[in-house]
Structure formats: structure tokens, C-alpha cells
Amino acid sequence: MAAIAEESSRTRTDPKAIETVIGALASRFGNRVVTSLAVRQQHAHTQTWIENQPPDAVVFPQTADDVQEIVKLCAAHRVPVISFGAGTSLEGHVNAPFGGICIAFRDMNRVVAVHASDLDCTVEPGITRKQLNEHLRDQGLFFPIDPGADASIGGMAATRCSGTNAVRYGTMKDNVLALKVVLANGEMITTARRAKKSSAGYDLTRLLVGSEGTLGVITGITLKLAGIPEAIAAGICPFASVEAACNAAILTIQSGIPVARIELLDALQVKACNAYSKLTLPETPMLFVEFHGSDANVKEQSEQFGDIVRELGGGPFDWATKPEDRTRLWQARHDAYWAGRALRPGVQAFATDVCVPISWLAECVVETQRDLAATGLVAPILGHVGDGNFHVTLLVDMADADEVARAKALHSRLIARALAMDGTCTGEHGVGQGKMQYLAAEHGTAALDAMRAVKRALDPDNIMNPGKIVALG
Amino acid sequence: MAAIAEESSRTRTDPKAIETVIGALASRFGNRVVTSLAVRQQHAHTQTWIENQPPDAVVFPQTADDVQEIVKLCAAHRVPVISFGAGTSLEGHVNAPFGGICIAFRDMNRVVAVHASDLDCTVEPGITRKQLNEHLRDQGLFFPIDPGADASIGGMAATRCSGTNAVRYGTMKDNVLALKVVLANGEMITTARRAKKSSAGYDLTRLLVGSEGTLGVITGITLKLAGIPEAIAAGICPFASVEAACNAAILTIQSGIPVARIELLDALQVKACNAYSKLTLPETPMLFVEFHGSDANVKEQSEQFGDIVRELGGGPFDWATKPEDRTRLWQARHDAYWAGRALRPGVQAFATDVCVPISWLAECVVETQRDLAATGLVAPILGHVGDGNFHVTLLVDMADADEVARAKALHSRLIARALAMDGTCTGEHGVGQGKMQYLAAEHGTAALDAMRAVKRALDPDNIMNPGKIVALG
């Protein structure tokens, strides 16, 4: 709370300033400015255990110029600006702890250009990854980053998101070529050209990717695309233990097999998926895998992976050869979060993620399972284990103060465990409000001060999504 | 010159301050501080057409703590600090236009740790890529980034270098996991953990990669590694025209063939290589290619590439099946810069590079060749064409003012051409002193101001390699 109190001394939450800005927005944008409590709460509400802190108004711009106008207006009155994409974030990224104006990108969801021959495209921030892939399919192209949820591309860039395909295709940092951004001073910049690589100055693209709206508002994104693979093979494979499943993932990566997806579900998560998605999987740790390539190459990868599975006593391997079987399989994986929540209907999901060097993965997962068992908490585990990244979805009765306290303590131990293994407090969810308290332990105060210096340099009045990532003194 | 004059008002070049710092360094580091003109000139001399601007002293630290001590001392007296790796940079990165202390990493070239099971390692900045690969070979691993020259890893990170393998393995931004850096305030930070991905705050790693020593001094680098491929196939293929060769590269990328290297040499460059490396290649545009993978996969890639070559009327393809033939081939490619220089012995090589979206590549190269012909300048062209990146090595008699003027004008037209094609003024050489004047045209003044704001935030006294990337007012 000290941090928040300090921030508020820099960040105007003066009701008169807010009133002035809302008035000006309303006369400029008419009914594209909404102040009803329901809409405001909806635009602060995400899949998070953190309390809802609504903005003072939600505005729906239609162009980058609209966004620039909104930011200039807010800047003139030192009113906070919070960007909103599809509302799938997990760490309170879109909450408005100091009030302010939410810029919701619902109406900015166009594909601006597809350069098929350059394998890139430019989009507005509000488009979701499924909408984009729908648009691209006819051209034999796809955008591979897949966090499960149908997130907006702007939000995915803002949180440096990754997901199931990252083990092969990288994260948003690897797949954003350039950003169009409105800065706190009202200037609109483009961070890079469409060239595939550049050494022309500081990498503003990568500085903005993962900055969660705290350094600027993203109004356009140029993305790398991939060709839809000639062949795709997917399947699932049970293991006797989480260690064996993790070790299969580790060996797969170390062998250089270019697996496109390699996902761990622990026994509890499999049980949840069986119930939710009406599957009949053996309720034991499983790997879901997918290989992309030519027919011959996919066959070769599958065989190499089969050898590893046998070596570790896993199997039998169950191939989903038909596209509809594959779709059902990945739908179940994507619904795993909802399946997990259905294990304890009505309680809150407290979803977190950590990422460790892959040699530490098995130990980190197993220790976490032991910790869960000892603490008496229910939390399915699933992970993008090819990257050493896994999720723990704590199912917590928020009305039970003791249970909440146990969940928070376990969460802190999980992060301490990951950091002790040279890992990170978040592999892909981002910092938002939920992970701010762990950044000093992860980066050290000097590095955190460097982040603060960058934040102050680009947003001296702290109007860009204040109260996220780093608190300013 | 205005920019330099402005900068010098912020940057102390007070002879007394320099004298004090050198005295303190000498009493602390003894004969690891050198002030002889020859050594100072050697540490400003790189493969560049820009005049030699030596530092006031060169110091050879042995540890990161030494570096921190040196930076703190310089910071206390506002004396510039310039980092020096292997001296292979091309844009005046290591010049000392305001004097100051050169930190030369000759004695900091250790491998700190290799985590083979995580496919990563940590090294000191002075190690060269060949030294590192020598160290890694026994473990079946290699570091794939290969700029040709035997550059230091610290310098490669500082310039966001890439080179021949980047088309498959990415650039330094994709292969640096974390940096240990001494900031201008004397603090030593680590920018990230060893986890393969993270969303934990601003991406200081990517901000520092490519910052050319202007935001901090790199004292350690954690790198991703790759397994040495099971099979490697390489070969060369002549084409009737540069367009046909570029189009073959374009089709290769668009077809999703994971080519490891695909290098264009224009006819003049081939002629130069024949003379310098005693080859007997047909003196026509050529592609040098290399495929990595399993035996079967490499065969498949080669066949797919062969189809493309036939379609474009290229060939015959000449495979280097024996490792020694392959080594000779790539040695010739790596010596291409020296081969080019030998076309006009005694003159200066004015080496530059641009990068464009691949659909513009053929047009950009062909227009540049026409421009060269019209201007009467000698300049072999070679390029990492899978990334749309190519080099023009202008061979210029620096004593001939008219020729120098024509070369500089052609250079400016080349960059304008690349920018008009949505490209960048440098794909991999970096900005240094040579490309500063082009950044406003590439990024716009607002983006450049954002870069300046970041620079000022992290280096308020402008002691970190001043006069590079952005000039401070």
C-alpha cells in the first residue's frame, strides 16, 4: 500500500481532472465513451483473483489518430490511461487502481496489410489471434503464437505472451517486427521497419513488447507469419510419473527435435479435462505433442520422439491422425483452465506461472506438487514444458481467509523455488499487479531501478497504466 | 559537427579529469593501463573508413569487479568509457571522439559455465566466437551466430550482430538470454535469469543488445546454444543474373525450407574470391547455401532447393560433400571482405549494409548495381539474402576527394533506397558513428527522441561511449 500511496502523489486522480477529460471525450467521441458501472467493471474484470478496480470511463477509438487524441487529452490533465484488448489477462493488468480512462480496442480489429511474400502482416491491436488466423488461412499462412485464450494481438504484445507453440516459434518478442505506439507525450512512433532484422539503434520494439501499457499505447503491430505446415502430427502419451513426462520433454529438446508443442498435464489436470471435455484419458501425467513439417520430416520427428518415450517407460502413444481428432485434443488442452475451475465450481481460480531452465523442470514441478499436497490445496498443473514453463491453477475459496492465506504463501514459495533454480516469476503471464512484489527478488534493486528510470524517462507523469510492473516513488 | 560540439558540453573532456583518472587507474591496475599512442590507436582502429580517434588510455580488466571499479572512477570524473572487444566493428563504434578510457576485454575471455542440458552457456565478453565454438565442440554444441569476422561475443551482443546463420538461428537479440552489465551509475546488474522465456518486466536484455556500449558496459553474456547438426550439406550454385539468384533465395524462404545459410555473391565478388582464395568459380552471381538437420531432412531440403534452382534456370548445383571442401567454401565466403579489398590494393574499404523486406531484395540489389555502374565505383556485393540483408564494400581511394564524395553520395542513396522499401539503414553492422545521420530518416524524430530519453535516463552524464547512436543535446 505504501507504493500505491506514493504513486498516487504523482498520478492525478483529481476528480475534477477526470470530469474534465470525460466531458471532452464525450463531446468528441459521443456514445463511444461509456461511464456505466457495468461496462467499467467489465473492462477491469479479467481472469484474475485480484479485486476489480474499474476505470472512470471506457472509450472505444476507431483509429490510431483517435488514440493519439485520447492520450493527449489525458496527458494534459494527468489522467491515467489503461489499454484493454480482449480481457484475458491474469495478473490485474487492466485494473485501474488510480482510476482513469480505459482505451478499449474492440473497434480497432482490422488487418491493415498482409505481405504474404515477406511472411508478415500489420494489424490493429484489438484483433484476436483466432480472427487473424481466420483471415490468413486462405493464403496458407498462420500466426503461430497461441496462449490458449483468444487474446487480442495488442494484449499479447503488451504482455510478451507465448503459449503452446512457443517452443518452436518463439514468443511475442520473437514475432513482433514493429509496433506503432502513442507515447505519454502524445507522439506517435513506429519502432521499426518491416526488414527482418536491424541494428539501427535501441530496440524500442522489444522494450515495448512486455511493457504492459506502462510505456505507451500500442495502436498497430507488424507480425512475422509462418507458412501452414504441409503436415501436422499430434498425439498424447501417458507416463507413470511427472518426472518421467518432464524428462521426456527435456530429452526431446536436448535431442534437437523441432517439436511444435509439448504440453504437460498432471494427473489432476487430466482428470479435470476428462470431466469437462468428456474424454476418457488415463488419469496419469500426460504429454500432448504436435510436430510440424513435411510428411517425411513429421514422420521422422514422431519416430524420434517415440524412441524417447519408450526409453522413459511412457506410452502407449495415441496419435490423432484425423484433423477433427486433433482439433478435439487441442480444444481440450485450451479448455484446461476452465476444466480446472470446474473441479471446484464457484471458487476463484488463482492462476500463476513460472519458468525455469529445463534441467530444473522436473524437480520444480514435483516439489510444487508436494507443497500442494502438504498444504491441502487443489491446483491442477499444466505446462509448456519444452520451455521449462508451467502453470499452477490454485482453486481458492476467497471467502475462506485461511485458505487464501495458504494459497498466497504457497504462491510465494513457488516463485522462490523458481528463482532459486535460476528461473523467472512469470514465463508468460506478465507482472501486472500480481507479480510486482517479486521483481526485486528476481532482478535485484539496481536492475529494477534501471526499469524505473526508463519508465520515468518515457512517462514522467506516470499516466501510462500506473501501478503495474514497477511502482514509482 | 554541431552535434559533437553540443555533446562535448555535457561530456567532460577536461584534461585534468582524464589525468586524475589515468593516475588512479595506474596505481590500481599497474601495467594493465597503457597510454602509448600505438596501443591507443590500435584500440580505436577498426575496419572502418572513419578516422582513428584514440582514447586517452586503454585498460585491461580481469574481472567484472575490475570493470565496475573502472566505471565508477570514470563516472566520478565524468570521463567517457569505451568498450573494446576484438576490434572488428565497421562503423567507428570504438572511436573515442571525446577521449576517455577504453576498457579492452582481451583478458576477460573465459567460459564461465556451460549448461549443456539447458543448451546455454555464460561467457566473458572478450571471448571470440571461434574460441567459444572450440570450447563447445566436444559437447556436441555450438554457438551459431557467425558474422564472418572472429568477433568477440561482447561486441557481437553490443552491435546486435547476426551474419550467415541468422536466417535459421536468428540474430544476437534471439540468442542472448541475459547480460551482466555495469551501468553508468556504477551498479552491476543482471538483466535476466537463465529461463528460456520471461514476462517479468521490461526487456533490459534486448534494450542492451545493440546499444553499442552507450547504455552500459557488458561484463558477462548468457547465450543460447544449438546442438551440432547430425548432417550438414553445403554447396554453390551459379545464376545468370542477380535477380534470379535473389528470387531463388526468396522462394526458398517463402517455401519454409529451414536453410541454415543462403549467401549471395555478385559476379564481382566471385571474381574477387577466385583471385584471393584461388578458386575457379564461374564469374557470375552465385548462391552459397548450407542445410542442417538429420540425414533425411538435409536430403529433403537439398532436393526442395534443387527444384527452386531449376525453376529459376540456375545451376548446375555443386555440392561440397566432404567437410574439408565445405570448410574451404565457407573460408572463401568469410574471406570475401579481404578478397574484395584485394581488388584495389591500398585503398580503403567502405563497408556498409542495409536490410529490406525480402520481396524488395532483388530490386534493391539490382538498382544498387546500376547506381555503382553509373557512378564508376568499384564495390563487390554480398549478402545474407535469406534475411533480405546485403553488404556493399565500396573500395575508395581516400586521397581522391571526388571519389570519396561520390562514394558518400552513393552510400546515402543506398540507404534512402532501402528506407523507401521499408528497410533499415543497417541490418547488422550497427550505427556507431557512421550511420547516426540516417536514424532520423529511418525512425522519425519522435522515436529518436524516445531513444534519447532512454539514453539520458540511464546515462545522464553521457559517459557511456558518447557520440554513438544518438547525439545528446
Side-chain angles (χ1 to χ4, degrees), chain A residues 196-227:
Chain A
K196 207 174 144 201
K197 63 184 196 184
S198 172
S199 287
Y202 304 148
D203 191 344
L204 295 181
T205 308
R206 250 55 56 180
L207 179 62
L208 270 299
V209 168
S211 67
E212 303 182 3
T214 65
L215 301 179
V217 178
I218 296 170
T219 63
I221 306 108
T222 299
L223 298 166
K224 277 192 206 171
L225 301 175

PDB file of all heavy atoms in Angstrom, chain A residues 196-227:
ATOM      1  N   LYS A 196      13.559  -7.824 -41.776  1.00  0.00           N
ATOM      2  CA  LYS A 196      13.520  -8.929 -40.822  1.00  0.00           C
ATOM      3  C   LYS A 196      14.489  -8.715 -39.662  1.00  0.00           C
ATOM      4  O   LYS A 196      14.316  -9.284 -38.588  1.00  0.00           O
ATOM      5  CB  LYS A 196      13.849 -10.235 -41.562  1.00  0.00           C
ATOM      6  CG  LYS A 196      13.237 -11.449 -40.910  1.00  0.00           C
ATOM      7  CD  LYS A 196      13.460 -12.696 -41.743  1.00  0.00           C
ATOM      8  CE  LYS A 196      13.681 -13.894 -40.850  1.00  0.00           C
ATOM      9  NZ  LYS A 196      14.370 -14.980 -41.554  1.00  0.00           N
ATOM     10  N   LYS A 197      15.515  -7.926 -39.885  1.00  0.00           N
ATOM     11  CA  LYS A 197      16.440  -7.637 -38.794  1.00  0.00           C
ATOM     12  C   LYS A 197      17.008  -6.237 -38.974  1.00  0.00           C
ATOM     13  O   LYS A 197      16.976  -5.691 -40.079  1.00  0.00           O
ATOM     14  CB  LYS A 197      17.558  -8.687 -38.738  1.00  0.00           C
ATOM     15  CG  LYS A 197      18.422  -8.715 -39.975  1.00  0.00           C
ATOM     16  CD  LYS A 197      19.456  -9.828 -39.921  1.00  0.00           C
ATOM     17  CE  LYS A 197      20.535  -9.573 -40.970  1.00  0.00           C
ATOM     18  NZ  LYS A 197      21.530 -10.635 -41.057  1.00  0.00           N
ATOM     19  N   SER A 198      17.505  -5.665 -37.897  1.00  0.00           N
ATOM     20  CA  SER A 198      18.060  -4.321 -37.945  1.00  0.00           C
ATOM     21  C   SER A 198      18.989  -4.128 -36.765  1.00  0.00           C
ATOM     22  O   SER A 198      18.770  -4.690 -35.690  1.00  0.00           O
ATOM     23  CB  SER A 198      16.929  -3.285 -37.883  1.00  0.00           C
ATOM     24  OG  SER A 198      17.476  -1.984 -37.754  1.00  0.00           O
ATOM     25  N   SER A 199      20.042  -3.335 -36.975  1.00  0.00           N
ATOM     26  CA  SER A 199      20.921  -2.924 -35.870  1.00  0.00           C
ATOM     27  C   SER A 199      20.896  -1.413 -35.727  1.00  0.00           C
ATOM     28  O   SER A 199      21.858  -0.822 -35.257  1.00  0.00           O
ATOM     29  CB  SER A 199      22.352  -3.400 -36.127  1.00  0.00           C
ATOM     30  OG  SER A 199      22.462  -4.792 -35.944  1.00  0.00           O
ATOM     31  N   ALA A 200      19.780  -0.793 -36.136  1.00  0.00           N
ATOM     32  CA  ALA A 200      19.721   0.663 -36.221  1.00  0.00           C
ATOM     33  C   ALA A 200      19.205   1.293 -34.931  1.00  0.00           C
ATOM     34  O   ALA A 200      18.106   1.829 -34.882  1.00  0.00           O
ATOM     35  CB  ALA A 200      18.861   1.080 -37.406  1.00  0.00           C
ATOM     36  N   GLY A 201      19.999   1.218 -33.880  1.00  0.00           N
ATOM     37  CA  GLY A 201      19.648   1.914 -32.649  1.00  0.00           C
ATOM     38  C   GLY A 201      18.994   1.023 -31.620  1.00  0.00           C
ATOM     39  O   GLY A 201      18.920  -0.195 -31.786  1.00  0.00           O
ATOM     40  N   TYR A 202      18.532   1.652 -30.536  1.00  0.00           N
ATOM     41  CA  TYR A 202      17.944   0.883 -29.428  1.00  0.00           C
ATOM     42  C   TYR A 202      16.706   0.137 -29.909  1.00  0.00           C
ATOM     43  O   TYR A 202      15.928   0.630 -30.705  1.00  0.00           O
ATOM     44  CB  TYR A 202      17.567   1.811 -28.267  1.00  0.00           C
ATOM     45  CG  TYR A 202      18.725   2.634 -27.748  1.00  0.00           C
ATOM     46  CD1 TYR A 202      18.515   3.906 -27.239  1.00  0.00           C
ATOM     47  CD2 TYR A 202      20.025   2.148 -27.767  1.00  0.00           C
ATOM     48  CE1 TYR A 202      19.573   4.678 -26.766  1.00  0.00           C
ATOM     49  CE2 TYR A 202      21.081   2.908 -27.295  1.00  0.00           C
ATOM     50  CZ  TYR A 202      20.855   4.170 -26.803  1.00  0.00           C
ATOM     51  OH  TYR A 202      21.895   4.934 -26.336  1.00  0.00           O
ATOM     52  N   ASP A 203      16.522  -1.041 -29.360  1.00  0.00           N
ATOM     53  CA  ASP A 203      15.442  -1.930 -29.782  1.00  0.00           C
ATOM     54  C   ASP A 203      14.147  -1.530 -29.071  1.00  0.00           C
ATOM     55  O   ASP A 203      13.714  -2.177 -28.118  1.00  0.00           O
ATOM     56  CB  ASP A 203      15.841  -3.373 -29.435  1.00  0.00           C
ATOM     57  CG  ASP A 203      14.920  -4.393 -30.071  1.00  0.00           C
ATOM     58  OD1 ASP A 203      13.823  -4.016 -30.524  1.00  0.00           O
ATOM     59  OD2 ASP A 203      15.301  -5.582 -30.103  1.00  0.00           O
ATOM     60  N   LEU A 204      13.542  -0.456 -29.552  1.00  0.00           N
ATOM     61  CA  LEU A 204      12.304   0.032 -28.928  1.00  0.00           C
ATOM     62  C   LEU A 204      11.193  -1.005 -29.048  1.00  0.00           C
ATOM     63  O   LEU A 204      10.309  -1.078 -28.185  1.00  0.00           O
ATOM     64  CB  LEU A 204      11.859   1.348 -29.575  1.00  0.00           C
ATOM     65  CG  LEU A 204      12.791   2.554 -29.377  1.00  0.00           C
ATOM     66  CD1 LEU A 204      12.200   3.791 -30.061  1.00  0.00           C
ATOM     67  CD2 LEU A 204      13.020   2.843 -27.895  1.00  0.00           C
ATOM     68  N   THR A 205      11.238  -1.810 -30.116  1.00  0.00           N
ATOM     69  CA  THR A 205      10.208  -2.848 -30.271  1.00  0.00           C
ATOM     70  C   THR A 205      10.217  -3.768 -29.055  1.00  0.00           C
ATOM     71  O   THR A 205       9.182  -3.987 -28.410  1.00  0.00           O
ATOM     72  CB  THR A 205      10.468  -3.673 -31.539  1.00  0.00           C
ATOM     73  OG1 THR A 205      10.629  -2.783 -32.646  1.00  0.00           O
ATOM     74  CG2 THR A 205       9.321  -4.636 -31.812  1.00  0.00           C
ATOM     75  N   ARG A 206      11.391  -4.308 -28.749  1.00  0.00           N
ATOM     76  CA  ARG A 206      11.486  -5.267 -27.645  1.00  0.00           C
ATOM     77  C   ARG A 206      11.300  -4.559 -26.286  1.00  0.00           C
ATOM     78  O   ARG A 206      10.876  -5.172 -25.324  1.00  0.00           O
ATOM     79  CB  ARG A 206      12.839  -5.987 -27.689  1.00  0.00           C
ATOM     80  CG  ARG A 206      12.837  -7.467 -28.077  1.00  0.00           C
ATOM     81  CD  ARG A 206      12.203  -7.846 -29.366  1.00  0.00           C
ATOM     82  NE  ARG A 206      12.759  -7.145 -30.501  1.00  0.00           N
ATOM     83  CZ  ARG A 206      12.362  -7.315 -31.746  1.00  0.00           C
ATOM     84  NH1 ARG A 206      11.408  -8.153 -32.052  1.00  0.00           N
ATOM     85  NH2 ARG A 206      12.906  -6.629 -32.723  1.00  0.00           N
ATOM     86  N   LEU A 207      11.639  -3.262 -26.198  1.00  0.00           N
ATOM     87  CA  LEU A 207      11.380  -2.534 -24.954  1.00  0.00           C
ATOM     88  C   LEU A 207       9.872  -2.404 -24.715  1.00  0.00           C
ATOM     89  O   LEU A 207       9.394  -2.515 -23.583  1.00  0.00           O
ATOM     90  CB  LEU A 207      12.029  -1.138 -25.008  1.00  0.00           C
ATOM     91  CG  LEU A 207      11.810  -0.254 -23.776  1.00  0.00           C
ATOM     92  CD1 LEU A 207      12.412  -0.887 -22.530  1.00  0.00           C
ATOM     93  CD2 LEU A 207      12.400   1.133 -23.996  1.00  0.00           C
ATOM     94  N   LEU A 208       9.123  -2.193 -25.786  1.00  0.00           N
ATOM     95  CA  LEU A 208       7.666  -2.029 -25.657  1.00  0.00           C
ATOM     96  C   LEU A 208       6.956  -3.368 -25.493  1.00  0.00           C
ATOM     97  O   LEU A 208       5.963  -3.466 -24.762  1.00  0.00           O
ATOM     98  CB  LEU A 208       7.112  -1.286 -26.876  1.00  0.00           C
ATOM     99  CG  LEU A 208       7.021   0.246 -26.838  1.00  0.00           C
ATOM    100  CD1 LEU A 208       6.099   0.701 -25.705  1.00  0.00           C
ATOM    101  CD2 LEU A 208       8.338   0.959 -26.748  1.00  0.00           C
ATOM    102  N   VAL A 209       7.439  -4.423 -26.193  1.00  0.00           N
ATOM    103  CA  VAL A 209       6.833  -5.743 -26.018  1.00  0.00           C
ATOM    104  C   VAL A 209       7.036  -6.160 -24.557  1.00  0.00           C
ATOM    105  O   VAL A 209       8.162  -6.153 -24.070  1.00  0.00           O
ATOM    106  CB  VAL A 209       7.471  -6.786 -26.971  1.00  0.00           C
ATOM    107  CG1 VAL A 209       7.046  -8.203 -26.593  1.00  0.00           C
ATOM    108  CG2 VAL A 209       7.099  -6.497 -28.414  1.00  0.00           C
ATOM    109  N   GLY A 210       5.949  -6.456 -23.869  1.00  0.00           N
ATOM    110  CA  GLY A 210       6.064  -6.841 -22.467  1.00  0.00           C
ATOM    111  C   GLY A 210       5.999  -5.676 -21.503  1.00  0.00           C
ATOM    112  O   GLY A 210       6.135  -5.867 -20.299  1.00  0.00           O
ATOM    113  N   SER A 211       5.784  -4.453 -22.005  1.00  0.00           N
ATOM    114  CA  SER A 211       5.753  -3.299 -21.097  1.00  0.00           C
ATOM    115  C   SER A 211       4.348  -3.041 -20.558  1.00  0.00           C
ATOM    116  O   SER A 211       4.147  -2.128 -19.762  1.00  0.00           O
ATOM    117  CB  SER A 211       6.330  -2.057 -21.779  1.00  0.00           C
ATOM    118  OG  SER A 211       5.494  -1.639 -22.825  1.00  0.00           O
ATOM    119  N   GLU A 212       3.383  -3.846 -21.000  1.00  0.00           N
ATOM    120  CA  GLU A 212       2.054  -3.876 -20.378  1.00  0.00           C
ATOM    121  C   GLU A 212       1.362  -2.520 -20.349  1.00  0.00           C
ATOM    122  O   GLU A 212       0.652  -2.196 -19.391  1.00  0.00           O
ATOM    123  CB  GLU A 212       2.160  -4.462 -18.949  1.00  0.00           C
ATOM    124  CG  GLU A 212       2.780  -5.857 -18.931  1.00  0.00           C
ATOM    125  CD  GLU A 212       2.851  -6.494 -17.549  1.00  0.00           C
ATOM    126  OE1 GLU A 212       2.371  -5.905 -16.575  1.00  0.00           O
ATOM    127  OE2 GLU A 212       3.385  -7.631 -17.458  1.00  0.00           O
ATOM    128  N   GLY A 213       1.569  -1.741 -21.392  1.00  0.00           N
ATOM    129  CA  GLY A 213       0.895  -0.450 -21.467  1.00  0.00           C
ATOM    130  C   GLY A 213       1.460   0.608 -20.553  1.00  0.00           C
ATOM    131  O   GLY A 213       0.911   1.708 -20.449  1.00  0.00           O
ATOM    132  N   THR A 214       2.588   0.313 -19.908  1.00  0.00           N
ATOM    133  CA  THR A 214       3.142   1.289 -18.958  1.00  0.00           C
ATOM    134  C   THR A 214       4.100   2.276 -19.615  1.00  0.00           C
ATOM    135  O   THR A 214       4.522   3.245 -18.984  1.00  0.00           O
ATOM    136  CB  THR A 214       3.894   0.596 -17.794  1.00  0.00           C
ATOM    137  OG1 THR A 214       5.048  -0.072 -18.331  1.00  0.00           O
ATOM    138  CG2 THR A 214       3.008  -0.404 -17.075  1.00  0.00           C
ATOM    139  N   LEU A 215       4.469   2.023 -20.875  1.00  0.00           N
ATOM    140  CA  LEU A 215       5.382   2.944 -21.573  1.00  0.00           C
ATOM    141  C   LEU A 215       4.716   3.597 -22.781  1.00  0.00           C
ATOM    142  O   LEU A 215       5.290   4.505 -23.392  1.00  0.00           O
ATOM    143  CB  LEU A 215       6.650   2.205 -22.036  1.00  0.00           C
ATOM    144  CG  LEU A 215       7.495   1.532 -20.948  1.00  0.00           C
ATOM    145  CD1 LEU A 215       8.690   0.817 -21.572  1.00  0.00           C
ATOM    146  CD2 LEU A 215       7.965   2.545 -19.905  1.00  0.00           C
ATOM    147  N   GLY A 216       3.543   3.133 -23.150  1.00  0.00           N
ATOM    148  CA  GLY A 216       2.864   3.683 -24.316  1.00  0.00           C
ATOM    149  C   GLY A 216       1.668   2.822 -24.660  1.00  0.00           C
ATOM    150  O   GLY A 216       1.491   1.735 -24.102  1.00  0.00           O
ATOM    151  N   VAL A 217       0.844   3.334 -25.568  1.00  0.00           N
ATOM    152  CA  VAL A 217      -0.351   2.606 -26.003  1.00  0.00           C
ATOM    153  C   VAL A 217      -0.105   2.078 -27.413  1.00  0.00           C
ATOM    154  O   VAL A 217       0.173   2.856 -28.328  1.00  0.00           O
ATOM    155  CB  VAL A 217      -1.589   3.522 -25.989  1.00  0.00           C
ATOM    156  CG1 VAL A 217      -2.819   2.773 -26.488  1.00  0.00           C
ATOM    157  CG2 VAL A 217      -1.830   4.076 -24.593  1.00  0.00           C
ATOM    158  N   ILE A 218      -0.205   0.776 -27.576  1.00  0.00           N
ATOM    159  CA  ILE A 218       0.046   0.152 -28.876  1.00  0.00           C
ATOM    160  C   ILE A 218      -1.171   0.370 -29.779  1.00  0.00           C
ATOM    161  O   ILE A 218      -2.298   0.046 -29.404  1.00  0.00           O
ATOM    162  CB  ILE A 218       0.301  -1.363 -28.691  1.00  0.00           C
ATOM    163  CG1 ILE A 218       1.581  -1.589 -27.881  1.00  0.00           C
ATOM    164  CG2 ILE A 218       0.386  -2.069 -30.050  1.00  0.00           C
ATOM    165  CD1 ILE A 218       1.796  -3.042 -27.448  1.00  0.00           C
ATOM    166  N   THR A 219      -0.923   0.915 -30.977  1.00  0.00           N
ATOM    167  CA  THR A 219      -2.034   1.133 -31.918  1.00  0.00           C
ATOM    168  C   THR A 219      -1.869   0.328 -33.203  1.00  0.00           C
ATOM    169  O   THR A 219      -2.766   0.338 -34.048  1.00  0.00           O
ATOM    170  CB  THR A 219      -2.164   2.622 -32.297  1.00  0.00           C
ATOM    171  OG1 THR A 219      -0.968   3.029 -32.967  1.00  0.00           O
ATOM    172  CG2 THR A 219      -2.381   3.485 -31.066  1.00  0.00           C
ATOM    173  N   GLY A 220      -0.767  -0.342 -33.372  1.00  0.00           N
ATOM    174  CA  GLY A 220      -0.560  -1.179 -34.560  1.00  0.00           C
ATOM    175  C   GLY A 220       0.577  -2.139 -34.310  1.00  0.00           C
ATOM    176  O   GLY A 220       1.507  -1.826 -33.548  1.00  0.00           O
ATOM    177  N   ILE A 221       0.489  -3.320 -34.908  1.00  0.00           N
ATOM    178  CA  ILE A 221       1.503  -4.353 -34.685  1.00  0.00           C
ATOM    179  C   ILE A 221       1.847  -4.993 -36.021  1.00  0.00           C
ATOM    180  O   ILE A 221       0.944  -5.426 -36.741  1.00  0.00           O
ATOM    181  CB  ILE A 221       0.997  -5.464 -33.726  1.00  0.00           C
ATOM    182  CG1 ILE A 221       0.485  -4.874 -32.417  1.00  0.00           C
ATOM    183  CG2 ILE A 221       2.109  -6.474 -33.451  1.00  0.00           C
ATOM    184  CD1 ILE A 221      -1.009  -4.914 -32.249  1.00  0.00           C
ATOM    185  N   THR A 222       3.126  -5.057 -36.349  1.00  0.00           N
ATOM    186  CA  THR A 222       3.575  -5.806 -37.525  1.00  0.00           C
ATOM    187  C   THR A 222       4.173  -7.116 -37.027  1.00  0.00           C
ATOM    188  O   THR A 222       5.056  -7.114 -36.171  1.00  0.00           O
ATOM    189  CB  THR A 222       4.596  -5.000 -38.348  1.00  0.00           C
ATOM    190  OG1 THR A 222       3.962  -3.802 -38.784  1.00  0.00           O
ATOM    191  CG2 THR A 222       5.071  -5.781 -39.563  1.00  0.00           C
ATOM    192  N   LEU A 223       3.626  -8.217 -37.540  1.00  0.00           N
ATOM    193  CA  LEU A 223       3.951  -9.548 -37.042  1.00  0.00           C
ATOM    194  C   LEU A 223       4.637 -10.389 -38.098  1.00  0.00           C
ATOM    195  O   LEU A 223       4.299 -10.298 -39.280  1.00  0.00           O
ATOM    196  CB  LEU A 223       2.656 -10.280 -36.669  1.00  0.00           C
ATOM    197  CG  LEU A 223       1.791  -9.683 -35.560  1.00  0.00           C
ATOM    198  CD1 LEU A 223       0.418 -10.331 -35.580  1.00  0.00           C
ATOM    199  CD2 LEU A 223       2.463  -9.886 -34.215  1.00  0.00           C
ATOM    200  N   LYS A 224       5.535 -11.236 -37.668  1.00  0.00           N
ATOM    201  CA  LYS A 224       6.048 -12.310 -38.539  1.00  0.00           C
ATOM    202  C   LYS A 224       4.964 -13.381 -38.676  1.00  0.00           C
ATOM    203  O   LYS A 224       4.275 -13.697 -37.710  1.00  0.00           O
ATOM    204  CB  LYS A 224       7.251 -12.990 -37.884  1.00  0.00           C
ATOM    205  CG  LYS A 224       8.553 -12.303 -38.066  1.00  0.00           C
ATOM    206  CD  LYS A 224       9.666 -13.261 -37.624  1.00  0.00           C
ATOM    207  CE  LYS A 224      10.889 -12.496 -37.184  1.00  0.00           C
ATOM    208  NZ  LYS A 224      11.886 -13.365 -36.564  1.00  0.00           N
ATOM    209  N   LEU A 225       4.872 -13.990 -39.829  1.00  0.00           N
ATOM    210  CA  LEU A 225       3.938 -15.095 -40.040  1.00  0.00           C
ATOM    211  C   LEU A 225       4.717 -16.351 -40.430  1.00  0.00           C
ATOM    212  O   LEU A 225       5.877 -16.277 -40.836  1.00  0.00           O
ATOM    213  CB  LEU A 225       2.948 -14.741 -41.150  1.00  0.00           C
ATOM    214  CG  LEU A 225       2.107 -13.481 -40.896  1.00  0.00           C
ATOM    215  CD1 LEU A 225       1.254 -13.154 -42.111  1.00  0.00           C
ATOM    216  CD2 LEU A 225       1.243 -13.642 -39.651  1.00  0.00           C
ATOM    217  N   ALA A 226       4.055 -17.473 -40.322  1.00  0.00           N
ATOM    218  CA  ALA A 226       4.656 -18.746 -40.750  1.00  0.00           C
ATOM    219  C   ALA A 226       3.742 -19.391 -41.775  1.00  0.00           C
ATOM    220  O   ALA A 226       2.535 -19.111 -41.820  1.00  0.00           O
ATOM    221  CB  ALA A 226       4.837 -19.661 -39.537  1.00  0.00           C
ATOM    222  N   GLY A 227       4.331 -20.214 -42.621  1.00  0.00           N
ATOM    223  CA  GLY A 227       3.508 -20.978 -43.555  1.00  0.00           C
ATOM    224  C   GLY A 227       2.807 -22.104 -42.810  1.00  0.00           C
ATOM    225  O   GLY A 227       3.392 -22.709 -41.902  1.00  0.00           O
TER     226      GLY A 227
END
